[in-house]
Amino acid sequence: MFRIGQSVDIHQLVEGRRLILGGVEIPHEKGLLGHSDADVLLHAIAESILGALALGDLGKHFPDTDDAYKGMDSLWMLKQVYRLMDEKGYRIGNLDALIMIERPKMAPHIQKMRENVAMALHCDMDAVSIKATRGEKMGFVGKEEGAQAQCVVLLMKK
């Protein structure tokens, strides 16, 4: 049996925050604003898995009203989502994710992001696709006001 999930996550880019994407801290003058570390990529991946399992959204499991999750490492959250997926008897078939951010360039960091995601989800790296694109100076991404990530995932029964 197969299940498909998809999700989008968006966070503001602001000064005074670290930029963490795919569990990788990337040097930049701005970072993503959020209750946790605001890793839009891992949030989109985790929520796509929750959606495929019909378990609600990320906020249901890690509410931003709970101080226990303030500054939380999103890789830890993704590992908790893996645990839920595993308990339901599913594994990753594959996932395809896209980061939308004007700068900095993501290419030097994508391999490490893929490694982090594959490790957290106990799957082969060839099941994890991560790509990036720019806003070409248009919209909130292009004007460097925020970043967005989206993911589609295929889960397979073990």
Side-chain angles (χ1 to χ4, degrees):
M1 182 171 169
F2 300 100
R3 298 188 76 126
I4 297 170
Q6 65 88 35
S7 186
V8 173
D9 195 48
I10 301 168
H11 284 274
Q12 277 185 317
L13 275 166
V14 297
E15 292 182 7
R17 291 275 300 195
R18 298 179 307 151
L19 179 61
I20 300 172
L21 291 166
V24 177
E25 186 166 348
I26 300 168
H28 193 54
E29 66 270 12
K30 291 182 177 179
L32 295 167
L33 182 63
H35 187 68
S36 67
D37 64 10
D39 187 327
V40 290
L41 176 61
L42 295 185
H43 291 185
I45 292 169
E47 194 164 79
S48 67
I49 294 167
L50 291 171
L53 297 169
L55 293 176
D57 63 17
L58 209 55
K60 176 181 175 184
H61 297 271
F62 310 101
D64 64 6
T65 54
D66 187 339
D67 283 343
Y69 303 116
K70 187 163 181 63
M72 184 60 65
D73 178 351
S74 293
L75 263 176
W76 177 86
M77 288 185 207
L78 186 59
K79 290 173 185 176
Q80 303 316 301
V81 169
Y82 167 79
R83 186 182 49 76
L84 294 171
M85 178 182 70
D86 187 51
E87 288 171 1
K88 291 275 189 182
Y90 284 89
R91 64 179 178 84
I92 297 292
N94 73 297
L95 68 84
D96 187 21
L98 175 66
I99 305 163
M100 289 164 266
I101 190 166
E102 190 68 14
R103 16 174 238 111
K105 294 221 177 269
M106 293 292 108
H109 310 288
I110 286 183
Q111 182 69 14
K112 181 61 177 163
M113 292 176 191
R114 290 180 64 220
E115 290 171 8
N116 288 345
V117 171
M119 179 268 312
L121 296 176
H122 301 264
C123 66
D124 292 334
M125 273 192 37
D126 66 359
V128 178
S129 170
I130 298 174
K131 307 175 301 291
T133 192
R134 298 176 37 220
E136 301 296 335
K137 308 286 184 206
M138 298 180 294
F140 74 89
V141 170
K143 293 176 184 171
E144 300 184 48
E145 297 170 345
Q148 177 174 320
Q150 59 188 38
C151 181
V152 62
V153 65
L154 174 69
L155 303 185
M156 299 169 49
K157 199 73 166 162
K158 290 191 217 176

